[in-house]
């Protein structure tokens, strides 16, 4: 590679022990190209043996996540919707005071959408205007695991007192739903309101549920 550039290698790390490590080697292969993934990308959908993901061609929001194993929809309304909720006198260490004014990705136009496919799975990348910046949302589904990855980037943000949220309205029986999140040295029941957590939150109604594994700011609502 040229100076300052590098190569990223992605692969399925199988049989890694839960509290240990496993070593892998990079060796030269006689095969010129990796085998194609067992997923399909369509005009407005990605599909593997685990999920079918569909999106709105006007906004880039997800209109459906179909869980093939459970035979049901994960979402009750558009998902991966980005919300900018305006704050009053924001205090990073104290209470959250929202004004009620907010902007959502559903209100902005799509600049472009691209799909790609490789030996691991299928990916969607959508770009749209958002506030005074550009919103980039990436979605990936895989052949080897029942997991969906979401990566959101806000480009050229010029500042402002807003809280950024990613919304995933779940199709659960909310009268009996409960949520549990990771807190220091514990798993703590939560449901209503905004709360801090660490890397995961799990929401279930006893028959179906979704876990959110978070690499960003540890806040859940």
């Amino acid at each position: 590679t040229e100076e300052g550039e590098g190569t990223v290698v992605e692969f399925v790390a199988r049989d890694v022990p839960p509290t240990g490590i496993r070593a892998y080697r990079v060796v030269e292969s006689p095969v010129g190209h990796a085998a194609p993934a067992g997923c399909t990308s369509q005009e407005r959908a990605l599909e593997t043996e685990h999920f079918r993901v569909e999106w709105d061609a006007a906004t880039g929001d997800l209109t459906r996540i179909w869980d093939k194993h459970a035979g049901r929809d994960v979402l009750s309304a558009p998902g991966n919707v980005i919300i900018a909720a305006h704050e009053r006198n924001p205090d990073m260490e104290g209470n959250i005071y929202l004004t009620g004014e907010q902007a959502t990705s559903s209100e902005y136009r799509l600049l472009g959408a691209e799909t790609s496919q490789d030996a691991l799975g299928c990916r969607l990348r959508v770009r749209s205007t958002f506030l005074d910046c550009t919103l980039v949302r990436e979605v990936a589904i895989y052949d080897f695991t029942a997991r969906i990855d979401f990566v959101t980037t806000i480009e050229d943000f010029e500042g402002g007192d807003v809280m950024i949220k990613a919304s995933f309205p779940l199709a659960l029986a909310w009268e009996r739903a409960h949520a549990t999140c990771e807190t220091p040295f514990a798993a703590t029941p939560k449901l209503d309101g905004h709360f801090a957590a660490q890397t995961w939150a799990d929401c279930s109604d006893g028959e179906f549920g979704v876990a959110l594994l978070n690499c960003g700011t540890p806040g859940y609502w």
Side-chain angles (χ1 to χ4, degrees), residues 64-82:
R64 189 183 201 190
I65 299 177
W66 177 257
D67 186 327
K68 294 186 176 182
H69 298 296
R72 58 181 290 170
D73 283 305
V74 175
L75 300 174
S76 61
N80 201 27
V81 175
I82 305 303

Side-chain angles (χ1 to χ4, degrees), residues 2-217:
E2 298 181 3
E3 184 178 354
E5 297 182 354
T7 299
V8 176
V9 178
E10 290 184 307
F11 66 99
V12 181
R14 300 187 187 277
D15 303 322
V16 179
T19 57
I21 61 173
R22 188 176 182 89
Y24 297 89
R25 291 179 178 170
V26 178
V27 298
E28 185 175 356
S29 172
V31 180
H33 301 282
C39 67
T40 59
S41 57
Q42 302 162 25
E43 183 178 359
R44 287 195 298 274
L46 303 178
E47 191 166 359
T48 66
E49 63 177 298
H50 305 290
F51 298 109
R52 179 179 172 86
V53 175
E54 302 174 5
W55 64 89
D56 188 328
T59 65
D61 299 342
L62 299 188
T63 56
R64 189 183 201 190
I65 299 177
W66 177 257
D67 186 327
K68 294 186 176 182
H69 298 296
R72 58 181 290 170
D73 283 305
V74 175
L75 300 174
S76 61
N80 201 27
V81 175
I82 305 303
I83 301 171
H86 290 264
E87 295 185 80
R88 182 179 67 252
N89 301 324
D91 180 0
M92 294 298 293
E93 299 298 330
N95 294 326
I96 297 172
Y97 300 101
L98 300 180
T99 66
E101 180 185 0
Q102 65 181 29
T104 74
S105 57
S106 305
E107 304 166 10
Y108 289 83
R109 64 184 179 89
L110 197 66
L111 297 175
E114 300 176 351
T115 60
S116 59
Q117 184 175 337
D118 55 35
L120 298 182
C122 295
R123 304 168 195 271
L124 165 70
R125 189 175 191 266
V126 296
R127 294 173 58 87
S128 60
T129 56
F130 187 65
L131 299 177
D132 57 359
C133 50
T134 300
L135 180 66
V136 181
R137 285 173 287 173
E138 299 174 81
V139 181
I141 58 176
Y142 305 99
D143 291 321
F144 60 91
T145 183
R147 187 183 85 185
I148 305 175
D149 282 358
F150 300 90
V151 178
T152 300
T153 305
I154 297 177
E155 298 179 346
D156 302 321
F157 181 60
E158 295 184 358
D161 297 331
V162 294
M163 171 184 283
I164 301 296
K165 301 190 289 184
S167 175
F168 295 90
L170 302 179
L172 298 178
W174 285 103
E175 67 276 5
R176 62 172 187 271
H178 62 276
T180 304
C181 66
E182 181 192 20
T183 54
F185 310 108
T188 305
K190 297 281 186 180
L191 185 59
D192 296 327
H194 180 270
F195 53 89
Q198 292 184 313
T199 59
W200 60 264
D202 181 274
C203 197
S204 171
D205 60 12
E207 295 181 358
F208 184 74
V210 172
L212 175 65
L213 312 179
N214 183 21
C215 295
T217 303

